[in-house]
Each structure stands twice: as structure tokens, then as C-alpha cells.
Amino acid sequence: MISWHDAYSKTLEQVSKNFFKKRNAIIGFNVNIDKIIEITPKTISLALPGGIDLKSIDKMKFPSSINTIEDFLFYFLDSMKSGKAAEIVISSIEIANWIENNFEINNIQIGGQAGIIANLFKNINVGNVLLSLPTYDSKLVNLLEPTLLTVVEEANSYSICEIKELEFTENEPISHYIFEFKAGNYEINSIKFVAPRDNRFIVSYDKVNSMVKFSKGFYEFSPNFISEYSLAIISGFHLVNEQLNSYEGIINPIIKMIERWKKVNPDLYIHLEIASTNNVKLRNFVKKNLFPLVNSIGVNEQELIFFSSTRKEQEVKRLDQQNTSTTLFQFLHGLFSEYSHLRIHLHYLGYFLVISPVISNKEADMAKKALILSSYFAALKAKKGSIGSFHEIHDVELNLSSKGYEELKNLQLYLESQFNVKGNLFKTGILETPSFSLIGIPSILVKNSRKLVGLGDTISSIAVLFSIDY
């Protein structure tokens, strides 16, 4: 049996700050402004409009978007009461203004999975990082790393330049409100409840990313340079709003672009980062049309359950209250059985898992080290709120989750009862069956975390960046 502390320490020793310099990554598509709102039992105090009865929340049938203040409150309370992450689109500026007037915004930062990952990659010394910008909004200019690359139009031709050379003059609705709530006892308008764990609830007033916008130059010019990139990370499809255009109208141009990328560069590794997607029709469209095109996807427990289950929504919701490594693996294996070419990354409180087609011992060991490295970076972001450089992970306190140990141990026993297994997930972090490989690690436990949003993006992107073969 390995010592997990030794495995973590040795992995850190083996990776230098120059490791990522030879990596080039292309990233799209959602870039927005995140407005952070910190919620604790002491800070929550709302003056609610008349006629809103929060007691009916348990009978509420949740709409796919937030159309009223009451919709917002029902989603907000449901997320906190269940301790789960959720992300919902706001339909009007009136609701956004109500949020701005009733909550204190503690911080403003770059948002969107693409924006977060692009900034992260530059901060940790990745080589060329090319970002698809959906807008040249003036609110972005001081939030994006200035040496990020993007495609620009010049007369009738296109070129690549650093973001610091551009003029950001547009003004568009690209705000996402991140409610980061702490576990504890709450009371809102005489409704008493317990938030069982720290998590975040996101609502977005963002018509730009709801169209998954990208520039004409990016579409037309990207095949010219795609051979220079080994990794593409795509995201933002959870925001698609069918009221603005059909799913086909919004997503099919991206599908065609990806198909062109793969034709020019068959070795391009493509990762799709998933986010909370409440609309069943949209989930099915993404699964059917995007999953076959990519090499891997990244999910948290809620996203995994929604994308892998064919059960009715209320049954899924009940299952979500009983997450264990065994039940989550059942969802994980179910999704993998549908798309058996995928490498699926699951990040959960206390441990991370990756299921994939059967891989070699060398690849499995690299995948385990990639998860360990991603755990360091996630812990750093949770503790400090941001990642300024690669070197900072050396300061992370190595406090591994005891819950993670137990969950991996329980999962090993379950797998032994159901499959013909080689290896031991709990003892070595690597397990193999005739149809799949499974990698698992206990993650670093961070007490009094400062940051929740973007942790999943950090985990998946670092793991993919480190583990794929270049």
C-alpha cells in the first residue's frame, strides 16, 4: 500500500515550473464577469416583495430559467438547503437589478469556464494560450491576463495578437452572480433551514454567452493554426438560450469548426467542461452532438447525475441527497457505457475519479499524478482565492481528506463485488477491469476556503493539461 502523502510529495517534486511551457492550448467559449456575493447566516437579510410565499418551495416545479424574483428565491433556497451547486439563467435586467440592490457584491473577477481556465494557464506558465473572445467588453480589459492570445480581423485578413494590444470598447450584459454560501443554520422570512455544506449558486444575466458567441475570424482562421495546438478546452454550452436561437443555430457552427480542427489535426485532444444544465432538451443535444466529438469531459456530482440519468427529475433530485462513491460511480459507469471512448473526470468533496477506456500502466500512473497535481492547485485556489504562479502550490498544506480515504475504500469493495478487477483503488489509486480503467485519489482538505467558483474548472483543466500525451 502506498502512502498517499508520499505520492503527493513525490509528484510535486517531479514537476517543475517549466513543465507546462511546451504546452499550447486553445480555449473557448464562455468569458464573462463574475460578481461574488458571500452568504453566511450573519450576512443574509432580504426585503422580499409582497405575495412571495417561500414555504411552498418543496412543491415548486422549477422552470428552466429565472423569470421572476420568486423563481430566483426558490432556486436560491433549494441550492442552499441541499448544499448543491446550480447555475441558472436570468431572463430580464429587472431581476439582475433586484439582486444588485439586495445583496452586497464582495468581489468582481473574470468568469466563465473559458476565461477562468485561460487566465489560470497563463499564470502557471503554459506556452501559447489562445482564447476565443465572445466580446470586446470594456469590463474585461483589466481582468484578463494581457499576454493571452486571440484572433483579430485586419482589413480582409486575420491574425493572432496578444489581448493587451486590443481596444475593449463594447458594453454588453455579461454578468454572473456567484452566491458562495457557507454551511450553517439560516433563517429567511421565518423559513429556517440548514445548509449542509459550503457551495455556490450562480445566476447569469448574459445574452452574449447565451449565444455562445465567437468571432468570424476565430471560425475562419483557426484551421490555419490548429496544428500548433495539442489541447483544446471547450465550454459554455450550459448557457445556451433557445429563446434567442435554436440549439442547432447556436451550436452547429461550433460543431463544424471542431470537425475542421480534427480533420486538420487528428491528434488534437479536446476536453469539454460541463456545467449545471437544467434543461433536459439541451442536455440531450449536448450529449448527442458534442460528446462524440471530444476526448474527455469534466463534471461535478450534480452534473454527472443530470447527464447520466434517464430517470425523472424528481427521482434524480432524491438520489442527489444520498451521494456516496458507490452511487456516484454507478452514474459514472452508466455515462461511460453510453460513450465508452470518453475519459470522464469527476471531482467531488474529498476525492477525484477518472474513468476511461483501458489504458497502460504508464498512462494510468500519469493520470494519477495529474489528479494529484490538480488537487494541489484546487486547494491553493480554495485557500487563497486565486492562483498567481506555479510556485505557490509548494506552500499548500498537505491535509488529505479522511472522507476521501473511506469513500475510495468503500468503492473498491463494491467494484470487487461487481467486476473482474486488477489493482486497488484505495491502496494504489489505480484499478483496471476488462472494459475500463479507473483512477482515484483522496483530495486535499481545505478548511475555511475562500473560493468555490472555478474549482471544478481548475481540477479538470490541470488534470487534462498534465496527463495527455504530447
Side-chain angles (χ1 to χ4, degrees), residues 82-115:
S82 58
K84 69 183 180 184
E87 184 166 356
I88 316 294
V89 173
I90 297 174
S91 63
S92 72
I93 192 171
E94 287 77 17
I95 303 170
N97 288 339
W98 183 86
I99 292 173
E100 297 253 3
N101 292 330
N102 283 271
F103 294 92
E104 179 183 355
I105 295 172
N106 303 101
N107 188 31
I108 297 177
Q109 61 191 38
I110 195 66
Q113 294 148 302

PDB file of all heavy atoms in Angstrom, residues 82-115:
ATOM      1  N   SER A  82     -30.027  22.034  -0.023  1.00  0.00           N
ATOM      2  CA  SER A  82     -29.478  20.740  -0.425  1.00  0.00           C
ATOM      3  C   SER A  82     -27.951  20.758  -0.484  1.00  0.00           C
ATOM      4  O   SER A  82     -27.328  19.710  -0.673  1.00  0.00           O
ATOM      5  CB  SER A  82     -30.036  20.329  -1.792  1.00  0.00           C
ATOM      6  OG  SER A  82     -29.745  21.310  -2.768  1.00  0.00           O
ATOM      7  N   GLY A  83     -27.351  21.953  -0.346  1.00  0.00           N
ATOM      8  CA  GLY A  83     -25.898  22.063  -0.382  1.00  0.00           C
ATOM      9  C   GLY A  83     -25.305  21.767  -1.742  1.00  0.00           C
ATOM     10  O   GLY A  83     -24.147  21.357  -1.860  1.00  0.00           O
ATOM     11  N   LYS A  84     -26.077  21.989  -2.798  1.00  0.00           N
ATOM     12  CA  LYS A  84     -25.612  21.626  -4.140  1.00  0.00           C
ATOM     13  C   LYS A  84     -25.341  22.857  -4.982  1.00  0.00           C
ATOM     14  O   LYS A  84     -25.907  23.927  -4.781  1.00  0.00           O
ATOM     15  CB  LYS A  84     -26.639  20.751  -4.844  1.00  0.00           C
ATOM     16  CG  LYS A  84     -27.933  21.480  -5.214  1.00  0.00           C
ATOM     17  CD  LYS A  84     -28.949  20.543  -5.839  1.00  0.00           C
ATOM     18  CE  LYS A  84     -30.230  21.302  -6.210  1.00  0.00           C
ATOM     19  NZ  LYS A  84     -31.276  20.408  -6.726  1.00  0.00           N
ATOM     20  N   ALA A  85     -24.458  22.690  -5.955  1.00  0.00           N
ATOM     21  CA  ALA A  85     -24.174  23.759  -6.909  1.00  0.00           C
ATOM     22  C   ALA A  85     -25.260  23.792  -7.965  1.00  0.00           C
ATOM     23  O   ALA A  85     -25.829  22.769  -8.329  1.00  0.00           O
ATOM     24  CB  ALA A  85     -22.821  23.521  -7.566  1.00  0.00           C
ATOM     25  N   ALA A  86     -25.568  24.990  -8.450  1.00  0.00           N
ATOM     26  CA  ALA A  86     -26.542  25.145  -9.533  1.00  0.00           C
ATOM     27  C   ALA A  86     -26.207  26.417 -10.288  1.00  0.00           C
ATOM     28  O   ALA A  86     -25.594  27.338  -9.749  1.00  0.00           O
ATOM     29  CB  ALA A  86     -27.964  25.209  -8.984  1.00  0.00           C
ATOM     30  N   GLU A  87     -26.600  26.458 -11.568  1.00  0.00           N
ATOM     31  CA  GLU A  87     -26.382  27.643 -12.383  1.00  0.00           C
ATOM     32  C   GLU A  87     -27.596  27.850 -13.282  1.00  0.00           C
ATOM     33  O   GLU A  87     -27.960  26.958 -14.053  1.00  0.00           O
ATOM     34  CB  GLU A  87     -25.113  27.509 -13.226  1.00  0.00           C
ATOM     35  CG  GLU A  87     -24.797  28.766 -14.016  1.00  0.00           C
ATOM     36  CD  GLU A  87     -23.401  28.778 -14.586  1.00  0.00           C
ATOM     37  OE1 GLU A  87     -22.632  27.830 -14.309  1.00  0.00           O
ATOM     38  OE2 GLU A  87     -23.073  29.731 -15.309  1.00  0.00           O
ATOM     39  N   ILE A  88     -28.224  29.037 -13.172  1.00  0.00           N
ATOM     40  CA  ILE A  88     -29.475  29.321 -13.857  1.00  0.00           C
ATOM     41  C   ILE A  88     -29.374  30.657 -14.581  1.00  0.00           C
ATOM     42  O   ILE A  88     -28.706  31.582 -14.113  1.00  0.00           O
ATOM     43  CB  ILE A  88     -30.663  29.381 -12.866  1.00  0.00           C
ATOM     44  CG1 ILE A  88     -30.597  28.223 -11.871  1.00  0.00           C
ATOM     45  CG2 ILE A  88     -31.998  29.380 -13.607  1.00  0.00           C
ATOM     46  CD1 ILE A  88     -30.786  26.862 -12.470  1.00  0.00           C
ATOM     47  N   VAL A  89     -30.072  30.765 -15.706  1.00  0.00           N
ATOM     48  CA  VAL A  89     -30.083  31.994 -16.494  1.00  0.00           C
ATOM     49  C   VAL A  89     -31.219  32.903 -16.047  1.00  0.00           C
ATOM     50  O   VAL A  89     -32.337  32.449 -15.797  1.00  0.00           O
ATOM     51  CB  VAL A  89     -30.238  31.673 -17.994  1.00  0.00           C
ATOM     52  CG1 VAL A  89     -30.415  32.949 -18.813  1.00  0.00           C
ATOM     53  CG2 VAL A  89     -29.029  30.882 -18.489  1.00  0.00           C
ATOM     54  N   ILE A  90     -30.933  34.221 -15.914  1.00  0.00           N
ATOM     55  CA  ILE A  90     -31.942  35.236 -15.624  1.00  0.00           C
ATOM     56  C   ILE A  90     -32.492  35.769 -16.944  1.00  0.00           C
ATOM     57  O   ILE A  90     -31.731  36.022 -17.877  1.00  0.00           O
ATOM     58  CB  ILE A  90     -31.334  36.409 -14.828  1.00  0.00           C
ATOM     59  CG1 ILE A  90     -30.821  35.939 -13.472  1.00  0.00           C
ATOM     60  CG2 ILE A  90     -32.344  37.520 -14.638  1.00  0.00           C
ATOM     61  CD1 ILE A  90     -30.097  37.024 -12.714  1.00  0.00           C
ATOM     62  N   SER A  91     -33.797  35.975 -17.008  1.00  0.00           N
ATOM     63  CA  SER A  91     -34.410  36.386 -18.274  1.00  0.00           C
ATOM     64  C   SER A  91     -34.516  37.899 -18.447  1.00  0.00           C
ATOM     65  O   SER A  91     -34.773  38.375 -19.549  1.00  0.00           O
ATOM     66  CB  SER A  91     -35.807  35.769 -18.402  1.00  0.00           C
ATOM     67  OG  SER A  91     -36.658  36.250 -17.366  1.00  0.00           O
ATOM     68  N   SER A  92     -34.352  38.693 -17.365  1.00  0.00           N
ATOM     69  CA  SER A  92     -34.561  40.133 -17.511  1.00  0.00           C
ATOM     70  C   SER A  92     -33.603  40.929 -16.633  1.00  0.00           C
ATOM     71  O   SER A  92     -33.121  40.449 -15.595  1.00  0.00           O
ATOM     72  CB  SER A  92     -35.999  40.510 -17.134  1.00  0.00           C
ATOM     73  OG  SER A  92     -36.193  40.413 -15.734  1.00  0.00           O
ATOM     74  N   ILE A  93     -33.359  42.170 -17.039  1.00  0.00           N
ATOM     75  CA  ILE A  93     -32.469  43.033 -16.287  1.00  0.00           C
ATOM     76  C   ILE A  93     -33.089  43.455 -14.958  1.00  0.00           C
ATOM     77  O   ILE A  93     -32.383  43.772 -13.999  1.00  0.00           O
ATOM     78  CB  ILE A  93     -32.100  44.282 -17.126  1.00  0.00           C
ATOM     79  CG1 ILE A  93     -30.946  45.030 -16.453  1.00  0.00           C
ATOM     80  CG2 ILE A  93     -33.316  45.201 -17.326  1.00  0.00           C
ATOM     81  CD1 ILE A  93     -30.368  46.136 -17.307  1.00  0.00           C
ATOM     82  N   GLU A  94     -34.425  43.437 -14.864  1.00  0.00           N
ATOM     83  CA  GLU A  94     -35.090  43.814 -13.606  1.00  0.00           C
ATOM     84  C   GLU A  94     -34.674  42.886 -12.472  1.00  0.00           C
ATOM     85  O   GLU A  94     -34.448  43.324 -11.331  1.00  0.00           O
ATOM     86  CB  GLU A  94     -36.607  43.798 -13.781  1.00  0.00           C
ATOM     87  CG  GLU A  94     -37.169  44.940 -14.612  1.00  0.00           C
ATOM     88  CD  GLU A  94     -36.960  44.753 -16.115  1.00  0.00           C
ATOM     89  OE1 GLU A  94     -36.682  43.604 -16.534  1.00  0.00           O
ATOM     90  OE2 GLU A  94     -37.082  45.742 -16.860  1.00  0.00           O
ATOM     91  N   ILE A  95     -34.553  41.597 -12.757  1.00  0.00           N
ATOM     92  CA  ILE A  95     -34.154  40.641 -11.723  1.00  0.00           C
ATOM     93  C   ILE A  95     -32.685  40.866 -11.355  1.00  0.00           C
ATOM     94  O   ILE A  95     -32.307  40.829 -10.183  1.00  0.00           O
ATOM     95  CB  ILE A  95     -34.385  39.197 -12.190  1.00  0.00           C
ATOM     96  CG1 ILE A  95     -35.858  38.995 -12.569  1.00  0.00           C
ATOM     97  CG2 ILE A  95     -33.990  38.213 -11.092  1.00  0.00           C
ATOM     98  CD1 ILE A  95     -36.140  37.684 -13.255  1.00  0.00           C
ATOM     99  N   ALA A  96     -31.861  41.115 -12.358  1.00  0.00           N
ATOM    100  CA  ALA A  96     -30.449  41.413 -12.090  1.00  0.00           C
ATOM    101  C   ALA A  96     -30.315  42.661 -11.215  1.00  0.00           C
ATOM    102  O   ALA A  96     -29.515  42.684 -10.269  1.00  0.00           O
ATOM    103  CB  ALA A  96     -29.697  41.597 -13.410  1.00  0.00           C
ATOM    104  N   ASN A  97     -31.104  43.684 -11.506  1.00  0.00           N
ATOM    105  CA  ASN A  97     -31.055  44.910 -10.709  1.00  0.00           C
ATOM    106  C   ASN A  97     -31.516  44.648  -9.282  1.00  0.00           C
ATOM    107  O   ASN A  97     -30.978  45.226  -8.322  1.00  0.00           O
ATOM    108  CB  ASN A  97     -31.924  45.991 -11.347  1.00  0.00           C
ATOM    109  CG  ASN A  97     -31.304  46.555 -12.618  1.00  0.00           C
ATOM    110  OD1 ASN A  97     -30.098  46.440 -12.828  1.00  0.00           O
ATOM    111  ND2 ASN A  97     -32.120  47.155 -13.465  1.00  0.00           N
ATOM    112  N   TRP A  98     -32.540  43.800  -9.108  1.00  0.00           N
ATOM    113  CA  TRP A  98     -33.018  43.463  -7.759  1.00  0.00           C
ATOM    114  C   TRP A  98     -31.908  42.788  -6.961  1.00  0.00           C
ATOM    115  O   TRP A  98     -31.708  43.083  -5.771  1.00  0.00           O
ATOM    116  CB  TRP A  98     -34.250  42.562  -7.851  1.00  0.00           C
ATOM    117  CG  TRP A  98     -34.835  42.249  -6.500  1.00  0.00           C
ATOM    118  CD1 TRP A  98     -35.742  42.997  -5.805  1.00  0.00           C
ATOM    119  CD2 TRP A  98     -34.536  41.104  -5.671  1.00  0.00           C
ATOM    120  NE1 TRP A  98     -36.026  42.397  -4.599  1.00  0.00           N
ATOM    121  CE2 TRP A  98     -35.306  41.237  -4.487  1.00  0.00           C
ATOM    122  CE3 TRP A  98     -33.711  39.998  -5.813  1.00  0.00           C
ATOM    123  CZ2 TRP A  98     -35.263  40.296  -3.478  1.00  0.00           C
ATOM    124  CZ3 TRP A  98     -33.660  39.058  -4.788  1.00  0.00           C
ATOM    125  CH2 TRP A  98     -34.443  39.214  -3.638  1.00  0.00           C
ATOM    126  N   ILE A  99     -31.167  41.883  -7.606  1.00  0.00           N
ATOM    127  CA  ILE A  99     -30.045  41.227  -6.937  1.00  0.00           C
ATOM    128  C   ILE A  99     -28.982  42.250  -6.539  1.00  0.00           C
ATOM    129  O   ILE A  99     -28.478  42.249  -5.406  1.00  0.00           O
ATOM    130  CB  ILE A  99     -29.442  40.138  -7.847  1.00  0.00           C
ATOM    131  CG1 ILE A  99     -30.430  38.976  -8.009  1.00  0.00           C
ATOM    132  CG2 ILE A  99     -28.115  39.632  -7.279  1.00  0.00           C
ATOM    133  CD1 ILE A  99     -30.003  37.936  -9.022  1.00  0.00           C
ATOM    134  N   GLU A 100     -28.645  43.153  -7.458  1.00  0.00           N
ATOM    135  CA  GLU A 100     -27.630  44.170  -7.167  1.00  0.00           C
ATOM    136  C   GLU A 100     -28.040  45.058  -5.994  1.00  0.00           C
ATOM    137  O   GLU A 100     -27.198  45.489  -5.198  1.00  0.00           O
ATOM    138  CB  GLU A 100     -27.408  45.046  -8.408  1.00  0.00           C
ATOM    139  CG  GLU A 100     -26.860  44.296  -9.616  1.00  0.00           C
ATOM    140  CD  GLU A 100     -25.413  44.615  -9.896  1.00  0.00           C
ATOM    141  OE1 GLU A 100     -24.812  45.384  -9.112  1.00  0.00           O
ATOM    142  OE2 GLU A 100     -24.881  44.079 -10.884  1.00  0.00           O
ATOM    143  N   ASN A 101     -29.347  45.309  -5.862  1.00  0.00           N
ATOM    144  CA  ASN A 101     -29.839  46.212  -4.817  1.00  0.00           C
ATOM    145  C   ASN A 101     -30.044  45.529  -3.472  1.00  0.00           C
ATOM    146  O   ASN A 101     -30.166  46.211  -2.449  1.00  0.00           O
ATOM    147  CB  ASN A 101     -31.156  46.851  -5.259  1.00  0.00           C
ATOM    148  CG  ASN A 101     -30.968  47.810  -6.423  1.00  0.00           C
ATOM    149  OD1 ASN A 101     -29.914  48.418  -6.571  1.00  0.00           O
ATOM    150  ND2 ASN A 101     -31.988  47.931  -7.265  1.00  0.00           N
ATOM    151  N   ASN A 102     -30.114  44.194  -3.469  1.00  0.00           N
ATOM    152  CA  ASN A 102     -30.431  43.478  -2.234  1.00  0.00           C
ATOM    153  C   ASN A 102     -29.273  42.656  -1.673  1.00  0.00           C
ATOM    154  O   ASN A 102     -29.400  42.094  -0.579  1.00  0.00           O
ATOM    155  CB  ASN A 102     -31.640  42.566  -2.457  1.00  0.00           C
ATOM    156  CG  ASN A 102     -32.947  43.325  -2.457  1.00  0.00           C
ATOM    157  OD1 ASN A 102     -33.579  43.526  -1.421  1.00  0.00           O
ATOM    158  ND2 ASN A 102     -33.360  43.778  -3.640  1.00  0.00           N
ATOM    159  N   PHE A 103     -28.177  42.557  -2.405  1.00  0.00           N
ATOM    160  CA  PHE A 103     -27.016  41.802  -1.926  1.00  0.00           C
ATOM    161  C   PHE A 103     -25.761  42.654  -2.085  1.00  0.00           C
ATOM    162  O   PHE A 103     -25.674  43.498  -2.973  1.00  0.00           O
ATOM    163  CB  PHE A 103     -26.845  40.492  -2.714  1.00  0.00           C
ATOM    164  CG  PHE A 103     -27.955  39.493  -2.512  1.00  0.00           C
ATOM    165  CD1 PHE A 103     -29.043  39.483  -3.377  1.00  0.00           C
ATOM    166  CD2 PHE A 103     -27.911  38.582  -1.477  1.00  0.00           C
ATOM    167  CE1 PHE A 103     -30.076  38.568  -3.211  1.00  0.00           C
ATOM    168  CE2 PHE A 103     -28.938  37.655  -1.302  1.00  0.00           C
ATOM    169  CZ  PHE A 103     -30.020  37.657  -2.164  1.00  0.00           C
ATOM    170  N   GLU A 104     -24.796  42.387  -1.242  1.00  0.00           N
ATOM    171  CA  GLU A 104     -23.519  43.087  -1.322  1.00  0.00           C
ATOM    172  C   GLU A 104     -22.555  42.300  -2.199  1.00  0.00           C
ATOM    173  O   GLU A 104     -22.301  41.113  -1.961  1.00  0.00           O
ATOM    174  CB  GLU A 104     -22.906  43.245   0.072  1.00  0.00           C
ATOM    175  CG  GLU A 104     -21.556  43.948   0.052  1.00  0.00           C
ATOM    176  CD  GLU A 104     -20.917  44.038   1.415  1.00  0.00           C
ATOM    177  OE1 GLU A 104     -21.570  43.631   2.407  1.00  0.00           O
ATOM    178  OE2 GLU A 104     -19.759  44.505   1.495  1.00  0.00           O
ATOM    179  N   ILE A 105     -22.042  42.931  -3.231  1.00  0.00           N
ATOM    180  CA  ILE A 105     -21.061  42.306  -4.110  1.00  0.00           C
ATOM    181  C   ILE A 105     -19.686  42.481  -3.481  1.00  0.00           C
ATOM    182  O   ILE A 105     -19.202  43.603  -3.301  1.00  0.00           O
ATOM    183  CB  ILE A 105     -21.112  42.917  -5.523  1.00  0.00           C
ATOM    184  CG1 ILE A 105     -22.466  42.595  -6.173  1.00  0.00           C
ATOM    185  CG2 ILE A 105     -19.966  42.385  -6.383  1.00  0.00           C
ATOM    186  CD1 ILE A 105     -22.708  43.288  -7.489  1.00  0.00           C
ATOM    187  N   ASN A 106     -19.055  41.364  -3.137  1.00  0.00           N
ATOM    188  CA  ASN A 106     -17.792  41.408  -2.410  1.00  0.00           C
ATOM    189  C   ASN A 106     -16.571  41.495  -3.316  1.00  0.00           C
ATOM    190  O   ASN A 106     -15.511  41.966  -2.900  1.00  0.00           O
ATOM    191  CB  ASN A 106     -17.659  40.178  -1.505  1.00  0.00           C
ATOM    192  CG  ASN A 106     -18.817  40.052  -0.527  1.00  0.00           C
ATOM    193  OD1 ASN A 106     -19.729  39.262  -0.754  1.00  0.00           O
ATOM    194  ND2 ASN A 106     -18.781  40.841   0.537  1.00  0.00           N
ATOM    195  N   ASN A 107     -16.721  40.985  -4.557  1.00  0.00           N
ATOM    196  CA  ASN A 107     -15.566  40.977  -5.449  1.00  0.00           C
ATOM    197  C   ASN A 107     -16.051  40.843  -6.887  1.00  0.00           C
ATOM    198  O   ASN A 107     -17.102  40.240  -7.144  1.00  0.00           O
ATOM    199  CB  ASN A 107     -14.631  39.808  -5.101  1.00  0.00           C
ATOM    200  CG  ASN A 107     -13.322  39.871  -5.858  1.00  0.00           C
ATOM    201  OD1 ASN A 107     -12.832  40.947  -6.189  1.00  0.00           O
ATOM    202  ND2 ASN A 107     -12.755  38.720  -6.159  1.00  0.00           N
ATOM    203  N   ILE A 108     -15.291  41.397  -7.821  1.00  0.00           N
ATOM    204  CA  ILE A 108     -15.570  41.250  -9.246  1.00  0.00           C
ATOM    205  C   ILE A 108     -14.331  40.664  -9.906  1.00  0.00           C
ATOM    206  O   ILE A 108     -13.214  41.162  -9.697  1.00  0.00           O
ATOM    207  CB  ILE A 108     -15.937  42.608  -9.893  1.00  0.00           C
ATOM    208  CG1 ILE A 108     -17.230  43.152  -9.275  1.00  0.00           C
ATOM    209  CG2 ILE A 108     -16.097  42.465 -11.399  1.00  0.00           C
ATOM    210  CD1 ILE A 108     -17.644  44.523  -9.795  1.00  0.00           C
ATOM    211  N   GLN A 109     -14.508  39.592 -10.695  1.00  0.00           N
ATOM    212  CA  GLN A 109     -13.361  38.899 -11.283  1.00  0.00           C
ATOM    213  C   GLN A 109     -13.751  38.283 -12.618  1.00  0.00           C
ATOM    214  O   GLN A 109     -14.917  38.276 -12.998  1.00  0.00           O
ATOM    215  CB  GLN A 109     -12.879  37.805 -10.326  1.00  0.00           C
ATOM    216  CG  GLN A 109     -13.937  36.752 -10.047  1.00  0.00           C
ATOM    217  CD  GLN A 109     -13.580  35.827  -8.910  1.00  0.00           C
ATOM    218  OE1 GLN A 109     -12.999  36.251  -7.912  1.00  0.00           O
ATOM    219  NE2 GLN A 109     -13.915  34.548  -9.050  1.00  0.00           N
ATOM    220  N   ILE A 110     -12.744  37.766 -13.319  1.00  0.00           N
ATOM    221  CA  ILE A 110     -13.033  37.117 -14.595  1.00  0.00           C
ATOM    222  C   ILE A 110     -13.874  35.873 -14.333  1.00  0.00           C
ATOM    223  O   ILE A 110     -13.687  35.174 -13.328  1.00  0.00           O
ATOM    224  CB  ILE A 110     -11.731  36.740 -15.352  1.00  0.00           C
ATOM    225  CG1 ILE A 110     -12.039  36.411 -16.818  1.00  0.00           C
ATOM    226  CG2 ILE A 110     -11.018  35.587 -14.682  1.00  0.00           C
ATOM    227  CD1 ILE A 110     -12.538  37.578 -17.613  1.00  0.00           C
ATOM    228  N   GLY A 111     -14.823  35.614 -15.212  1.00  0.00           N
ATOM    229  CA  GLY A 111     -15.697  34.464 -15.061  1.00  0.00           C
ATOM    230  C   GLY A 111     -15.838  33.703 -16.362  1.00  0.00           C
ATOM    231  O   GLY A 111     -15.250  34.046 -17.387  1.00  0.00           O
ATOM    232  N   GLY A 112     -16.669  32.679 -16.325  1.00  0.00           N
ATOM    233  CA  GLY A 112     -16.812  31.784 -17.467  1.00  0.00           C
ATOM    234  C   GLY A 112     -15.696  30.756 -17.418  1.00  0.00           C
ATOM    235  O   GLY A 112     -14.532  31.079 -17.143  1.00  0.00           O
ATOM    236  N   GLN A 113     -16.033  29.507 -17.707  1.00  0.00           N
ATOM    237  CA  GLN A 113     -15.001  28.465 -17.637  1.00  0.00           C
ATOM    238  C   GLN A 113     -13.816  28.789 -18.537  1.00  0.00           C
ATOM    239  O   GLN A 113     -12.663  28.619 -18.148  1.00  0.00           O
ATOM    240  CB  GLN A 113     -15.618  27.119 -18.025  1.00  0.00           C
ATOM    241  CG  GLN A 113     -16.660  26.640 -17.034  1.00  0.00           C
ATOM    242  CD  GLN A 113     -17.752  25.830 -17.718  1.00  0.00           C
ATOM    243  OE1 GLN A 113     -18.422  26.318 -18.619  1.00  0.00           O
ATOM    244  NE2 GLN A 113     -17.925  24.601 -17.296  1.00  0.00           N
ATOM    245  N   ALA A 114     -14.103  29.285 -19.750  1.00  0.00           N
ATOM    246  CA  ALA A 114     -13.014  29.592 -20.683  1.00  0.00           C
ATOM    247  C   ALA A 114     -12.141  30.718 -20.148  1.00  0.00           C
ATOM    248  O   ALA A 114     -10.906  30.650 -20.203  1.00  0.00           O
ATOM    249  CB  ALA A 114     -13.586  29.964 -22.051  1.00  0.00           C
ATOM    250  N   GLY A 115     -12.765  31.768 -19.612  1.00  0.00           N
ATOM    251  CA  GLY A 115     -11.995  32.876 -19.064  1.00  0.00           C
ATOM    252  C   GLY A 115     -11.159  32.467 -17.872  1.00  0.00           C
ATOM    253  O   GLY A 115      -9.982  32.844 -17.755  1.00  0.00           O
TER     254      GLY A 115
END
